[in-house]
Amino acid sequence: MPQPDSDRVLIFDTTLRDGEQSPGISLNTAEKLEIAQQLARLGVDVIEAGFPITSPGDFEAVQAIAREVTEPAPPIVTGLARTQVADIDAAHQAVRDAERPRIHTFISTSDIHIRHQLQTTREDVVGQARAAVAQAKGYVDDVEFSPMDATRADVEFTAEVVQTAIDEGATTINIPDTVGYAMPQEFTAFLERLYELVPALRGVVLSVHCHDDLGLAVANSFAGLLVGARQVECAVNGIGERAGNASLEEIVMLLHTRRPDVGLHTGINTRELARTSRLVSRLTGYVVQPNKAVVGRNAFAHESGIHQDGVLKERSTYEIMDATTIGLDANSIVLGKHSGRHALRQALEELGFEVSGQALNTAFKRFKEIADKKKQVTAMDLEALVTDELREESAGYTLEWFDVEASSRRPPHATVAVRRPDGSMVEGSFTGDGPVDAIFRAINASTGLDARLREFRVDAVTGGQDALGEVSVVLELEGQSAAGQGVATDILEAAGRAYVRALSNGVRRAELAAAAAAREGREGEELAKAP
Amino acid sequence: MPQPDSDRVLIFDTTLRDGEQSPGISLNTAEKLEIAQQLARLGVDVIEAGFPITSPGDFEAVQAIAREVTEPAPPIVTGLARTQVADIDAAHQAVRDAERPRIHTFISTSDIHIRHQLQTTREDVVGQARAAVAQAKGYVDDVEFSPMDATRADVEFTAEVVQTAIDEGATTINIPDTVGYAMPQEFTAFLERLYELVPALRGVVLSVHCHDDLGLAVANSFAGLLVGARQVECAVNGIGERAGNASLEEIVMLLHTRRPDVGLHTGINTRELARTSRLVSRLTGYVVQPNKAVVGRNAFAHESGIHQDGVLKERSTYEIMDATTIGLDANSIVLGKHSGRHALRQALEELGFEVSGQALNTAFKRFKEIADKKKQVTAMDLEALVTDELREESAGYTLEWFDVEASSRRPPHATVAVRRPDGSMVEGSFTGDGPVDAIFRAINASTGLDARLREFRVDAVTGGQDALGEVSVVLELEGQSAAGQGVATDILEAAGRAYVRALSNGVRRAELAAAAAAREGREGEELAKAP
């Protein structure tokens, strides 16, 4: 237990970096900011906001988060960087305006990565790690270093690299189980051996970063904490590469629930967990399965007669956590069609959204449209509406109106009007296999874009016959996959909104890809000049 | 390591018992049989087919599975029973026709359950356990006993109860972490202590049954195996009460992937994992989140440039499992509109569905309808169609046709024709907030049933613009919640089919509930007569 407050665990959230690397997720800067602001309200210690070198969009989002996320307390904001000079420069530029900036650099220490991916030598890896940490340390005090794929690496060699990073001033050493291969007892042994080989590790923060490929991400992270790690890298809803990262909410509630026995604690305001989970699910389009621990729809539901009987007699017979602890009772705000602008504003403020001026007018207009169709507008509906509005940030296509005739007895037919980014209006008609297909084809026809639908999903935001429907689509346009979501009481309207947003994202992605290709071409030429 | 083949782990699947206890899941006998047959193909050792005393439907399904699931090898089929005489009688009646019947009986050993739920004494618990195991042993050789909530119980008292069960002939002792509270190191210590206190435990099979409330179900199960357990209770997709059970596919792939280091193995044909997961998800209506380990859509997807680069250079840089191992390449069968009956039958056989006679005619008709709308009909489409047909088994309402007019500029309007269980046809029209809402209201109007929609979800079965859509709805009817699913290329048609099926289920559930209430009333009267 190396740290001064030896039982305080730092929560390092990588939803916006490793999580955003999941297929089909494409968050714009406004959406990333909204998530970061919610993470700050949740009380995470570190926000890994992105990987600045990878694209101008990533850079811009990390910079915006570094500058703007300060309430209720400024979190540490970090950006990821390979050991290259340009990577660390970009990460520094992106995070420098944060009150508490951190640079996080990494290089693989497993022979399988060194040989096949980096195509270099162990000696070179040590040199790169040394140079990168030194460079980062020249910019900021707070430097994190990760030996990638450590759990499949030689522990002695990893220790050598870690020692080098500490010598150069790294203040956090993070051990990633990059491919989700470790078993808890094995991970424990690896970390214990690392402590033996690098006594200086007791003078810095040891961190763990575990993937869930074998279903052990939380268990491995926890095993790390039990041997002395005091930072956990995790993501909301456990999203991330492949099977994702350790779930933030599971780690937090494990430590919270078992605190009397384990003695560790975090700075997380657990009552924000449910809302954070919903926000991330909505903006990423990644559904949370009903049987997901802590934040799944059924995590607190008791179905069998025996369990229901027990809970009615005494809650603790079948409940180890209280639903209110994670904020599941917070859905108490209810507005109706007679609620005014002031009530809406107040309700939004209670939800943590500061809305005024034109944004409030827009929100109020959408609210009234919904309230006309729904008896009660709940906090979850408001969340959905506000996050839906966030999506309008970037200029793109909008669906102005549509007409559909559908029947089981003849093919459905749709007519749509779409406003293009330049403000002009186009119309199109098409017949499809179903009404949604007809609308999508009509949108393609009107815009002249040849997008192909890859995924389609609808969820009800709240229960009841008049529930808001939320549609998520993923489409493919010019080799880029892009996602879009739409919210409405009418599923066809929600589908149309989602589709034009995905189109807008797809067009933007295709442009960025073209720009990146052009840039790489230039860099290639420049590199060719260097020895 | 107590057993003869000391490194063989038995897979006990409780998808149809603990899994089916999840809110909103309502499987009919044909659906349960289909899942059980797939579980047998998957190679599970034990199928816990239900809890026979709880309802006539549960009894009937367990009996059907015991009688009919014999290929490729007869699994052990078990039914759950409390320690009551009637429970064990019912379980025995239900499983007796299996080639390998087992009775599984349980009673809580934690003081919190004994005091608050059972409202009895430790002494009485010992007596009930003794009597129940003895009774079961009188019927079958293979008897499993579980001290419920063991991880929160006094280990000495639990040992006493376990010793009693073994004395009476229990052949498997299962330790449940009923509320998902245990930590791996704690569970390890509990089981080690149990082995010390009950040396006879080495002469029977030790089993573990872990819940995922803190995200540790797989890790705790694995910890149990490492100290000597040789049976794991788990469920496909990790479904079950609250956050569910340990995921079958995670346990299996953990043991498979780490076999060189751990040395344990199962009898599972891993190439059936993906299909089993899809079948269970489709029939239960429980979505698998994209970042779910092993069977999530993205479990084998690589998104970041660095990871993609590594995998292209050498797969093992970022992959510890091969997608083909879990059967993800099995989606190679493709039929088109010109494919004939023979090709369809052959394709279905490859998928493990034996279809002939009238069922083949029906399947062929549905196939042709779909093939007319879709260029390629894949194995996943066929799976969806066949499982969709399974749902027609019980007499109920069917949607004959519908017409919908929808627009963003006026309220949508639907007209439907529904055939009632008695064969008569009714029509209805209604206006709604959206086209789906309009159809649902029109169905309510036509049938005169006052159902309320609680959940609504749409998934695309396969990718592409012409994908089959699968709609799941959960509705409430007379205080009962009931689910239904429907598959079609037209989302409105799929929604309508799903809704009338949920209605049929709801009507059936309401009738069963009424019958059960009447029965309980009678039993109450009889009990009142006894001293």
Side-chain angles (χ1 to χ4, degrees):
Chain A
M1 311 287 155
Q3 285 74 34
D5 178 358
S6 69
D7 57 358
R8 172 72 157 82
V9 173
L10 301 171
I11 298 295
F12 176 115
D13 180 275
T14 187
T15 306
L16 295 172
R17 203 276 300 163
D18 204 325
E20 216 252 348
Q21 276 173 217
S22 307
I25 296 184
S26 155
L27 299 170
N28 64 35
T29 297
E31 291 167 336
K32 287 183 183 172
L33 252 177
E34 185 58 35
I35 290 175
Q37 260 142 0
Q38 178 59 27
L39 290 172
R41 272 193 291 273
L42 179 65
V44 308
D45 300 284
V46 187
I47 296 175
E48 186 163 59
F51 194 165
I53 192 77
T54 53
S55 77
D58 239 52
F59 181 91
E60 178 194 300
V62 176
Q63 190 169 56
I65 290 166
R67 288 177 176 169
E68 296 177 37
V69 178
T70 53
E71 300 292 338
I76 295 170
V77 177
T78 189
L80 189 64
R82 287 167 301 187
T83 48
Q84 276 90 316
V85 171
D87 278 51
I88 292 168
D89 274 341
H92 173 232
Q93 291 299 324
V95 302
R96 63 184 301 168
D97 295 335
E99 287 199 37
R100 304 168 67 198
R102 171 183 292 186
I103 294 173
H104 178 193
T105 185
F106 72 97
I107 190 166
S108 296
T109 58
S110 73
D111 289 328
I112 188 168
H113 277 201
I114 295 173
R115 198 171 303 140
H116 295 290
Q117 179 160 35
L118 302 176
Q119 298 174 348
T120 185
T121 61
R122 285 185 172 194
E123 208 175 3
D124 180 55
V125 165
V126 176
Q128 286 196 44
R130 183 189 307 282
V133 173
Q135 184 193 351
K137 197 71 184 179
Y139 295 140
V140 294
D141 282 340
D142 188 349
V143 176
E144 173 167 333
F145 173 77
S146 296
M148 191 175 184
D149 203 24
T151 50
R152 292 195 300 175
D154 175 19
V155 68
E156 270 84 12
F157 175 64
T158 302
E160 183 187 340
V161 178
V162 163
Q163 181 67 60
T164 304
I166 295 175
D167 289 344
E168 294 299 330
T171 43
T172 298
I173 296 293
N174 175 56
I175 305 299
D177 181 31
T178 304
V179 293
Y181 186 69
M183 302 178 285
Q185 77 281 13
E186 193 181 46
F187 197 46
T188 298
F190 185 92
L191 297 177
E192 283 174 343
R193 182 75 182 123
L194 208 58
Y195 269 126
E196 281 171 21
L197 293 166
V198 189
L201 197 52
R202 300 210 173 269
V204 302
V205 175
L206 177 64
S207 169
V208 288
H209 174 111
C210 300
H211 279 272
D212 203 37
D213 296 74
L214 298 175
L216 294 171
V218 169
N220 284 330
S221 305
F222 185 54
L225 294 176
L226 293 180
V227 297
R230 285 300 174 271
Q231 178 180 286
V232 182
E233 302 199 1
C234 46
V236 176
N237 299 338
I239 62 173
E241 281 281 352
R242 306 181 313 278
N245 292 281
S247 286
L248 181 147
E249 57 279 4
E250 295 177 10
I251 289 282
V252 166
M253 289 309 294
L254 167 59
L255 296 181
H256 182 88
T257 306
R258 302 308 310 266
R259 184 169 178 183
D261 305 283
V262 177
L264 300 176
H265 65 104
T266 71
I268 295 295
N269 174 8
T270 60
R271 291 182 50 82
E272 292 291 332
L273 284 171
R275 189 195 305 172
T276 310
S277 167
R278 289 197 298 267
L279 178 72
V280 169
S281 176
R282 187 166 291 135
L283 290 180
T284 58
Y286 266 46
V287 65
V288 173
Q289 65 196 20
N291 51 317
K292 165 82 172 66
V294 183
V295 293
R297 187 182 69 218
N298 294 340
F300 293 91
H302 302 278
E303 179 73 0
S304 84
I306 293 174
H307 287 215
Q308 286 177 350
D309 170 67
V311 168
L312 289 174
K313 286 173 177 161
E314 163 62 42
R315 295 208 76 78
S316 64
T317 49
Y318 293 92
E319 274 192 12
I320 60 172
M321 289 176 277
D322 185 337
T324 62
T325 314
I326 67 155
L328 274 180
D329 60 336
N331 194 16
S332 54
I333 304 165
V334 176
L335 300 176
K337 62 198 292 185
H338 303 297
S339 304
R341 199 175 299 253
H342 182 71
L344 175 66
R345 186 182 180 159
Q346 202 165 30
L348 290 173
E349 272 173 14
E350 276 186 51
L351 291 172
F353 299 111
E354 278 177 48
V355 182
S356 59
Q358 187 50 41
L360 181 61
N361 289 342
T362 311
F364 191 64
K365 186 163 158 280
R366 284 291 309 273
F367 162 72
K368 278 295 187 187
E369 285 168 20
I370 300 293
D372 273 347
K373 296 182 179 171
K374 261 186 123 253
K375 279 187 223 75
Q376 297 189 325
V377 178
T378 68
M380 276 166 75
D381 290 327
L382 290 179
E383 277 179 28
L385 284 183
V386 173
T387 50
D388 197 43
E389 288 305 324
L390 285 176
R391 297 179 184 125
E392 300 293 2
E393 174 247 18
S394 57
Y397 296 86
T398 47
L399 181 66
E400 290 294 317
W401 55 258
F402 66 88
D403 292 328
V404 178
E405 280 173 40
S407 169
S408 55
R409 302 186 285 188
R410 56 192 170 271
H413 187 266
T415 306
V416 303
V418 174
R419 192 173 296 282
R420 298 198 297 188
D422 65 7
S424 65
M425 188 97 108
V426 285
E427 290 188 22
S429 286
F430 223 92
T431 294
D433 293 328
V436 172
D437 186 40
I439 287 185
F440 291 176
R441 286 175 194 265
I443 292 171
N444 276 5
S446 70
T447 57
L449 293 169
D450 184 26
R452 308 260 320 153
L453 186 68
R454 277 191 13 195
E455 283 167 38
F456 178 78
R457 215 188 65 244
V458 186
D459 293 288
V461 174
T462 44
Q465 196 96 6
D466 57 0
L468 279 184
E470 173 151 35
V471 170
S472 306
V473 306
V474 179
L475 51 73
E476 202 172 295
L477 182 68
E478 297 175 28
Q480 299 292 315
S481 89
Q485 290 89 30
V487 176
T489 53
D490 177 342
I491 190 173
L492 297 181
E493 184 182 335
R497 291 174 79 104
Y499 193 80
V500 294
R501 281 183 184 144
L503 267 188
S504 305
N505 284 334
V507 168
R508 191 160 49 91
R509 286 204 137 193
E511 287 167 1
L512 286 174
R519 204 169 53 242
E520 265 177 32
R522 281 199 308 279
E523 276 173 16
E525 286 161 29
E526 281 160 23
L527 279 176
K529 289 179 207 156
Chain B
M1 310 285 155
Q3 284 75 33
D5 179 357
S6 69
D7 57 359
R8 172 72 158 80
V9 173
L10 301 171
I11 298 295
F12 176 115
D13 180 275
T14 188
T15 306
L16 296 172
R17 203 277 300 162
D18 203 325
E20 217 252 348
Q21 276 173 217
S22 307
I25 296 185
S26 156
L27 299 171
N28 63 37
T29 297
E31 291 167 336
K32 287 183 183 173
L33 252 177
E34 185 57 36
I35 290 175
Q37 260 142 1
Q38 178 59 27
L39 291 171
R41 273 192 291 273
L42 178 65
V44 307
D45 300 285
V46 187
I47 295 176
E48 185 162 60
F51 195 166
I53 192 78
T54 54
S55 77
D58 239 51
F59 181 91
E60 178 194 299
V62 177
Q63 190 169 55
I65 290 167
R67 289 176 175 170
E68 296 177 37
V69 178
T70 54
E71 300 291 338
I76 294 170
V77 177
T78 189
L80 189 65
R82 286 167 302 186
T83 48
Q84 276 91 315
V85 170
D87 278 50
I88 292 168
D89 274 342
H92 173 232
Q93 292 300 324
V95 302
R96 64 184 300 169
D97 295 335
E99 287 198 38
R100 304 168 67 198
R102 170 182 294 185
I103 295 173
H104 179 193
T105 184
F106 72 97
I107 189 166
S108 296
T109 58
S110 74
D111 289 328
I112 189 167
H113 277 201
I114 295 172
R115 197 172 303 141
H116 295 290
Q117 180 161 33
L118 302 176
Q119 298 174 348
T120 184
T121 61
R122 286 185 171 193
E123 208 176 1
D124 180 54
V125 165
V126 175
Q128 287 196 43
R130 182 189 309 282
V133 174
Q135 183 192 352
K137 196 71 183 180
Y139 296 141
V140 293
D141 282 339
D142 188 348
V143 175
E144 172 167 332
F145 173 76
S146 296
M148 191 175 185
D149 203 24
T151 50
R152 293 195 300 174
D154 175 19
V155 67
E156 270 85 13
F157 175 63
T158 302
E160 183 187 339
V161 177
V162 163
Q163 180 69 60
T164 303
I166 295 175
D167 289 345
E168 295 299 330
T171 43
T172 298
I173 296 293
N174 175 56
I175 305 299
D177 181 32
T178 305
V179 294
Y181 186 70
M183 301 178 286
Q185 76 282 13
E186 194 180 45
F187 197 47
T188 297
F190 186 93
L191 296 176
E192 282 174 344
R193 183 74 182 126
L194 209 57
Y195 269 126
E196 280 172 22
L197 293 166
V198 189
L201 198 52
R202 301 212 172 267
V204 302
V205 175
L206 177 64
S207 169
V208 289
H209 174 110
C210 300
H211 279 272
D212 203 37
D213 296 75
L214 297 175
L216 294 172
V218 169
N220 284 330
S221 305
F222 185 54
L225 294 176
L226 293 179
V227 297
R230 286 299 174 269
Q231 177 179 287
V232 182
E233 302 198 3
C234 46
V236 176
N237 300 337
I239 62 173
E241 282 280 353
R242 306 182 313 279
N245 292 93
S247 287
L248 181 147
E249 57 280 2
E250 295 177 10
I251 289 283
V252 166
M253 289 310 293
L254 167 58
L255 296 180
H256 181 88
T257 306
R258 301 309 310 266
R259 184 169 179 183
D261 305 282
V262 178
L264 300 176
H265 65 104
T266 71
I268 295 294
N269 174 8
T270 60
R271 291 182 51 81
E272 292 291 332
L273 284 171
R275 188 194 307 173
T276 311
S277 167
R278 289 197 299 267
L279 178 73
V280 169
S281 176
R282 187 166 290 135
L283 290 180
T284 58
Y286 265 45
V287 66
V288 173
Q289 64 196 20
N291 51 317
K292 165 82 172 64
V294 184
V295 293
R297 189 182 67 217
N298 294 339
F300 293 90
H302 301 279
E303 177 73 0
S304 84
I306 293 175
H307 287 215
Q308 287 177 349
D309 170 66
V311 168
L312 290 175
K313 287 174 177 159
E314 162 62 43
R315 295 208 75 76
S316 63
T317 49
Y318 293 92
E319 275 193 12
I320 60 172
M321 289 176 277
D322 185 338
T324 62
T325 315
I326 67 155
L328 273 180
D329 60 336
N331 195 16
S332 53
I333 303 166
V334 176
L335 301 177
K337 63 197 294 184
H338 302 297
S339 304
R341 200 174 298 254
H342 182 71
L344 175 66
R345 185 182 179 158
Q346 202 165 31
L348 291 173
E349 272 174 13
E350 276 186 52
L351 291 172
F353 298 112
E354 278 178 48
V355 182
S356 59
Q358 186 50 40
L360 181 62
N361 288 343
T362 311
F364 191 64
K365 186 162 158 282
R366 282 294 306 274
F367 162 71
K368 278 295 187 187
E369 285 169 20
I370 299 295
D372 273 346
K373 297 182 180 172
K374 263 186 123 256
K375 278 189 222 72
Q376 298 190 324
V377 179
T378 68
M380 277 167 75
D381 289 328
L382 290 179
E383 276 179 29
L385 284 183
V386 174
T387 50
D388 197 43
E389 289 304 323
L390 285 176
R391 297 181 183 125
E392 300 293 1
E393 174 247 19
S394 58
Y397 296 86
T398 47
L399 180 67
E400 290 293 317
W401 55 258
F402 67 87
D403 292 326
V404 178
E405 280 173 40
S407 168
S408 56
R409 304 186 283 189
R410 56 193 169 270
H413 187 266
T415 307
V416 303
V418 174
R419 191 174 296 281
R420 299 198 296 189
D422 64 8
S424 63
M425 189 96 107
V426 284
E427 291 188 23
S429 287
F430 223 91
T431 295
D433 292 329
V436 172
D437 186 40
I439 287 184
F440 291 175
R441 286 175 195 263
I443 292 171
N444 276 4
S446 71
T447 58
L449 293 168
D450 184 26
R452 306 262 316 155
L453 184 69
R454 277 192 12 194
E455 283 168 39
F456 178 78
R457 216 188 64 243
V458 185
D459 292 290
V461 173
T462 44
Q465 195 96 4
D466 58 0
L468 280 184
E470 172 151 37
V471 171
S472 306
V473 306
V474 179
L475 51 73
E476 202 171 295
L477 182 67
E478 297 176 29
Q480 299 292 314
S481 90
Q485 289 89 32
V487 176
T489 53
D490 176 342
I491 190 174
L492 298 181
E493 183 182 336
R497 292 173 79 104
Y499 193 80
V500 294
R501 279 180 186 148
L503 267 188
S504 305
N505 284 334
V507 168
R508 191 161 50 92
R509 286 204 137 193
E511 287 168 1
L512 287 173
R519 204 168 54 240
E520 265 175 33
R522 280 199 308 279
E523 276 172 15
E525 286 162 28
E526 282 161 22
L527 280 176
K529 288 180 208 156

